[in-house]
């Protein structure tokens, strides 16, 4: 008898898991309360930067490791998706104004510490900046260049994954709000990938002694059209009040982010946040002052108290839960979902489950 598997949550993780299971010929259906374009998912407003070195300054070692694995995995994944996806691997650039030089010294110290004394960054002088980013010529005297980093167009990724699921004839039930209990009436296994939407289910009493509570971290991101500006890679501005990144997409679209607020409010962005994002953008180059604001969007990033993702499973309930990717969704999702798929295939086939995934190192946490 063929076992039937349901994916609950059609954001980035849900689509990636459904796609990988479908590739293996596993019968799967996807359910999401939002639409096919993913506009209710946290991934929809993300800049989709693949920046494990830059993020290592604040991220945990586990997240940095997952990010490095995922950079290579994205190359393979995008090659298997037939729909066009903008992707770039021109590195990323860290810049600062002269008065903020101490922030750059501190950033470089953290970078070395995260890389155990190594130096993943190249120091660029004014001439290097002028050569590689001509429109920043004269704006910054020094910069740090991280050559291994890249980015994607996140909305194109969500669309390409939906197209791939259609090609594999995976039933995708958009605008279908449901829960694990309802799905268990029809399916053998349920994979819960709802992110912050799974908060009440995730935070139920658990026999895992180290169980981590799920909460939402509010993020606000601006998207602008600036036909006079061209950047060849993501640029991060170090600033004492509002450090930000600018991720250039196709056709002179720029994604600017991101605030990080301990709040579970999903209200529209505040005036203060909008001013901070756009003021910092203007500080990178005054030409951004003429950009058209396309949107300032908000969403909640699903976060656990240790800031690492978790994969949990319940043999009795035949349930797998994947959550806690925080602000690193695009950066780490290929490694996390690949580990989840390896667990799911073991469970479906009745095989023994190891304590952790032997490739990603992520623990598999039993709920009973």
């Amino acid at each position: 008898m063929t076992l039937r598997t349901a994916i609950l949550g059609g954001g980035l993780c849900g689509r990636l898991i459904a796609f990988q299971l479908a590739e293996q010929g596993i019968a799967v259906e996807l359910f999401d309360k939002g639409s096919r374009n993913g506009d209710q998912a946290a991934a929809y407003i993300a800049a989709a930067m693949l920046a494990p070195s830059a993020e290592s300054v604040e991220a945990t070692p586990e997240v940095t490791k997952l990010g490095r694995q995922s950079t290579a995995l994205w190359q393979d994944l995008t090659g298997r998706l037939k729909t066009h996806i903008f992707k770039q691997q021109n590195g990323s650039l860290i810049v600062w104004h002269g008065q903020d030089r101490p922030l750059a010294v501190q950033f470089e110290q953290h970078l070395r510490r995260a890389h155990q004394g190594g130096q993943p960054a190249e120091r660029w002088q004014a001439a290097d900046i002028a050569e590689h980013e001509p429109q920043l010529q004269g704006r910054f005297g020094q910069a740090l260049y991280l050559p291994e980093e890249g980015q994607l167009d996140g909305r194109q990724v969500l669309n390409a994954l939906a197209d791939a699921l259609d090609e594999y004839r995976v039933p995708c039930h958009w605008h279908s709000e449901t829960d694990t209990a309802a799905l268990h009436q029809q399916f053998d296994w349920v994979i819960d990938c709802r992110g912050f939407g799974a908060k009440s289910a995730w935070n139920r009493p658990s026999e895992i002694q180290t169980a981590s509570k799920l909460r939402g971290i509010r993020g606000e991101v601006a998207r602008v059209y600036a036909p006079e500006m061209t950047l060849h890679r993501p640029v991060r501005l170090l600033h004492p009040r509002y450090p930000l990144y600018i991720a250039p997409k196709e056709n002179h679209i720029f994604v600017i982010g991101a605030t990080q607020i301990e709040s579970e409010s999903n209200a529209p962005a505040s005036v203060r946040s909008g001013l901070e994002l756009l003021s910092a953008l203007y500080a990178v180059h005054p030409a951004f002052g003429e950009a058209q604001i396309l949107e300032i969007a908000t969403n909640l990033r699903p976060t656990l108290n240790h800031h690492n993702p978790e994969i949990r499973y319940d043999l009795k309930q035949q349930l797998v839960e994947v959550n806690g990717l925080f602000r690193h969704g695009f950066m780490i999702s290929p490694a996390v979902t690949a580990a989840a798929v390896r667990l799911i295939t073991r469970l479906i086939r009745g095989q023994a489950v190891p304590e952790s995934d032997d490739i990603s190192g992520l623990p598999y946490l039993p709920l009973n």
Side-chain angles (χ1 to χ4, degrees):
M1 183 180 68
T2 301
L3 296 179
R4 300 178 67 213
T5 301
I7 308 292
L8 179 55
L12 180 60
C13 279
R15 295 181 197 216
L16 279 170
I17 290 175
F19 171 61
Q20 292 171 81
L21 291 176
E23 284 186 310
Q24 297 185 35
I26 294 173
V28 60
E29 295 189 28
L30 185 143
F31 294 80
D32 190 80
K33 67 179 182 180
S35 62
R36 188 183 190 276
N37 71 357
D39 57 3
Q40 292 190 26
Y44 188 77
I45 72 165
M49 294 192 303
L50 312 180
S53 291
E55 290 295 321
S56 70
V57 170
E58 295 185 356
T60 68
E62 293 84 357
V63 164
T64 302
K65 177 184 175 182
L66 292 168
R68 295 192 183 287
Q69 291 179 0
S70 294
T71 299
L73 290 172
W74 270 122
Q75 291 293 329
D76 181 53
L77 276 165
T78 54
R80 284 152 38 207
L81 295 170
K82 296 180 180 179
T83 306
H84 167 72
I85 297 172
F86 166 76
K87 56 183 182 294
Q88 190 183 71
Q89 198 144 7
N90 294 341
S92 62
L93 196 63
I94 316 298
V95 299
W96 57 91
H97 293 296
Q99 68 270 22
D100 296 323
R101 172 63 185 165
L103 295 177
V105 173
Q106 185 181 54
F107 183 92
E108 198 167 11
Q109 289 172 346
H110 287 318
L111 204 58
R112 284 202 199 96
R113 190 177 304 118
H115 291 78
Q116 300 180 339
Q119 175 54 287
E122 300 175 10
R123 290 198 182 106
W124 280 9
Q125 303 302 321
D128 301 306
I129 298 171
E131 178 185 355
H132 297 287
E133 290 290 358
Q135 288 198 269
L136 298 184
Q137 182 175 1
R139 300 291 304 164
F140 304 98
Q142 293 180 309
L144 294 174
Y145 173 60
L146 299 170
E148 297 180 357
E149 305 202 326
Q151 63 161 331
L152 302 161
D153 186 304
R155 295 181 180 182
Q156 290 179 356
V157 170
L158 292 173
N159 181 59
L161 286 167
D163 287 347
L165 294 177
D166 289 344
E167 185 177 351
Y168 277 105
R169 298 184 179 180
V170 172
C172 294
H173 306 274
W174 309 114
H175 305 290
S176 298
E177 188 164 6
T178 184
D179 57 26
T180 57
L183 290 177
H184 272 305
Q185 296 177 19
Q186 307 172 55
F187 295 89
D188 300 289
W189 282 91
V190 176
I191 319 302
D192 191 344
C193 303
R194 287 176 293 171
F196 178 71
K199 179 182 176 180
S200 59
W202 184 278
N203 292 341
R204 67 189 181 278
S206 167
E207 295 180 23
I208 299 179
Q209 297 302 311
T210 58
S212 187
K213 294 297 183 182
L214 180 69
R215 72 187 192 281
I217 299 289
R218 179 180 168 90
E220 297 157 325
V221 174
R223 188 174 291 257
V224 305
Y225 171 61
E228 303 302 318
M229 283 297 299
T230 298
L231 294 175
H232 302 287
R233 55 190 53 80
V235 174
R236 290 176 182 251
L237 173 68
L238 302 180
H239 189 280
R241 290 195 308 280
Y242 33 76
L244 93 161
Y245 54 76
I246 305 170
K249 307 302 181 183
E250 290 180 307
N251 303 317
H252 299 280
I253 302 295
F254 297 83
V255 178
I256 305 98
T259 61
Q260 185 172 302
I261 303 169
E262 281 284 352
S263 169
E264 292 184 348
S265 168
N266 220 351
S270 67
V271 170
R272 177 179 177 178
S273 294
L275 284 171
E276 289 183 348
L277 288 171
L278 299 178
S279 296
L281 176 65
Y282 183 79
V284 170
H285 199 293
F288 278 118
E290 302 304 315
Q292 300 172 22
I293 300 173
L294 302 179
E295 63 182 77
I296 299 180
T298 66
N299 214 315
L300 299 175
R301 292 107 167 224
T303 308
L304 302 173
N305 58 357
H306 47 55
H307 287 181
N308 289 323
E310 284 187 3
I311 302 173
R312 314 193 312 192
Y313 68 99
D314 187 324
L315 287 173
K316 183 178 179 181
Q317 297 294 324
Q318 293 187 273
L319 172 70
V320 175
E321 299 173 314
V322 183
N323 218 318
L325 277 71
F326 188 27
R327 67 169 187 243
H328 309 297
F330 277 95
M331 191 179 88
I332 66 175
S333 55
V336 174
T337 58
V341 167
R342 286 188 284 270
L343 169 65
I344 294 163
T345 54
R346 281 180 171 273
L347 292 170
I348 289 174
R349 294 166 182 166
Q351 298 172 342
V353 176
E355 292 185 358
S356 62
D357 179 50
D358 58 356
I359 297 176
S360 68
L362 278 170
Y364 293 141
L365 302 172
L367 284 167
N368 53 36

